[in-house]
Amino acid sequence: ANLADNRCTISPGYGCDFWGGFRSGPPEYTDQMRITQGIDRFTGSVQMTYDPVAWLSNRLTIGTDVTQEANLEILPFQTDPVYRYFWGETTGNGYHYETRRDQTFNTFDYVGTADFDVSESLTSSTSFGAQYYQRHIEFLGAQGNEFAGPGLTTIDAAALKPYAGSDYLDNNTLGFYLQEVVGWKDRLFLTGAVRVDNNSAFGSELDFVTYPKASLSWVLTEEPMFQQAVPDFLSAFKLRLAYGQSGSQPEALSALRTFEPITGPGGTPAVTPSQLGNPELGPERGEEIEAGFDAGFLDDRIGLNFTYYHTRTKDGILLRPIAPSTGYPGSRWVNAGQILNTGIEAMLRANLVNSDRFNWDMHFSLATNEGKVEKLAGGDTTIITGSTQYRIGYAPNSFFRERVVSAEYDPATGRAINAMCADGAGGSTPCFNELGQVIAPRVYLGRTTPGVMGSIGSSFRFFDRFTLNALVDFKSDYMKTNNNARARCQIFLTCLANVYPEDADPKLLAQLQTSGTLRDFAIQDASFTRLREVSLTYDVPTDLAGRMGARALSVNVAARNIHIWTDYGGLDPEATFLSGSPGFMEQSQIPQLLQLVASVNVNF
């Protein structure tokens, strides 16, 4: 702050309006930069149907989704001496950094259906189809530093070109399926199906993978033997039971052995080992059993849907460190885990008011998840991935760190002393040894995925043409790394606890005075409740829409991400770091934006 004040005093008119952010320069300092992002996107599809006979239908759908993204960052050559002072002599000469990323997703989907009435009571529907998904991504980037003088902004005009690179990624999936649905008197339905898939990211030793499924549903209220016993307020009741398998493919290239280009002796081109690969790498296989019911009450003005699920994921794809003797660094992806997930999914809906002039509907949904790692390949009990671990008996990718339970403040030194950490058995143990090294074990701090989630919604229909909708959702029982607090307090030492240690919690101070090894203060409860959306829709009268050549016309205005209630100390409990990498941090990410949206929907 004193340095900034001196700059303002030395050069009045420059940098005197500071924003107050960490290491923030004046607005004029950042205004010299040009940062833009341009996105062009096209989404389209075409569908063709062919019904050669009454009992056979065919449908082919072809779609594409193309996105072209251009990112540009330019700092021109700085001629003003004050700006050059802020940027530094080298950076003040300017730079140009540009990246382009093109993504193409193509889908080909064919389905044929043969419907038969085997008898008056028995119906049959046989479906068969094929699907092909294609993903192609191209990346191109370049950077130029230090222009010779003002007016030069292209990369070619830069004296130094430290970076130029291009890359591409292809991932393709081909699948076939066959399904049979048998119905008995329109109240008992049995479904059996099988699907086979192959993906370009599978290891070379894998071919097509098979996923079966089966389901049974029974509308009890349609059964004569139950109709006499069903109370009048029960409008409908259906039982559901299902079993199925599914798969999640590995990331592209994760099964391949790769090498990285480097500069060899004498400037010659060479390569060095990069990724060991895994020719046996296959998909994660999920095996799930679901059981539930759908019920309607009071002429279906109240509805209840309930499902219990039991999912076991086999061959979970995890990173495992590899032996240095292989000659390859780091880790490789392996099918190493078995994970069990159980929980419920429920929704209660109700039509509270139904009149000619006013209608009021509400719903409440709730979902829970209890996940745990059941076993790991090779006899492992734990796979460590930074601050998170896959440990048998705990939710996958849970936080495990040292946890400080007590400490004292020494006013003579301004430091925390006698720090004690949890020992993982309900007691405590010293956090440090005589040399100041952390010796406490890492203990369970929480899961990284929500254990409970749900929503509450309400819809009001009034004056025949207006509909007001509101939605609140929530997530709880999970933790997240507040990396902004960790960076401020442990790396740059700019928290109040660093400046006024005598007023700080000694447990926090004991962590801040390490190099970052102790950090349980930054792993925080991320539970939240958010007012997700409020919208108003007006349905234009049919005759007025008809004058425009439309069958229906509506106008909608909506506000999204309006308010949040949370004790999380970071930027936003839903913001993620590096697109959701383990730890779920939010550094350098923006929170959920408040959005105001207006739309017009026309049907011709």
Side-chain angles (χ1 to χ4, degrees), residues 364-367 450 452-456 472-476 527-530 532:
F364 172 71
S365 67
L366 179 69
V452 179
M453 63 187 71
S455 65
I456 302 174
V472 175
D473 58 23
F474 59 89
K475 295 180 181 179
S476 64
S527 302
F528 71 90
T529 300
R530 189 187 293 271
R532 183 67 64 182

Side-chain angles (χ1 to χ4, degrees), residues 333-355:
W333 295 103
V334 295
N335 295 110
Q338 180 171 300
I339 300 168
L340 176 65
N341 283 283
T342 60
I344 65 166
E345 297 173 349
M347 175 178 286
L348 176 65
R349 54 177 178 81
N351 178 224
L352 301 178
V353 179
N354 188 2
S355 66

Side-chain angles (χ1 to χ4, degrees), residues 41-122:
R41 184 173 184 180
F42 171 79
T43 303
S45 65
V46 59
Q47 185 177 99
M48 294 169 282
T49 61
Y50 176 57
D51 302 335
V53 291
W55 53 268
L56 179 63
S57 63
N58 298 272
R59 185 185 71 234
L60 175 64
T61 304
I62 301 174
T64 188
D65 185 347
V66 180
T67 302
Q68 296 178 326
E69 175 185 317
N71 302 285
L72 179 68
E73 183 175 332
I74 295 177
L75 177 69
F77 185 93
Q78 300 296 297
T79 58
D80 190 301
V82 176
Y83 294 154
R84 294 189 69 86
Y85 176 79
F86 276 113
W87 283 106
E89 193 61 32
T90 300
T91 308
N93 290 330
Y95 63 85
H96 181 142
Y97 178 64
E98 186 169 350
T99 62
R100 296 184 180 272
R101 190 166 180 260
D102 296 340
Q103 298 185 92
T104 301
F105 297 87
N106 295 322
T107 61
F108 303 86
D109 186 356
Y110 165 76
V111 57
T113 303
D115 294 315
F116 294 97
D117 289 334
V118 181
S119 67
E120 292 184 1
S121 302
L122 186 65

Side-chain angles (χ1 to χ4, degrees), residues 257-261 271-275 328:
R257 178 171 298 187
T258 60
F259 297 85
E260 181 178 355
V271 295
T272 187
S274 175
Q275 178 177 285
Y328 285 81

Side-chain angles (χ1 to χ4, degrees), residues 480 482 484-485 488 522 524-526 566-573 586:
K480 180 181 173 184
N482 181 354
N484 297 326
R488 287 199 319 270
Q524 302 174 0
D525 184 358
T566 182
D567 291 330
Y568 177 67
L571 197 62
D572 190 317
E586 61 184 9

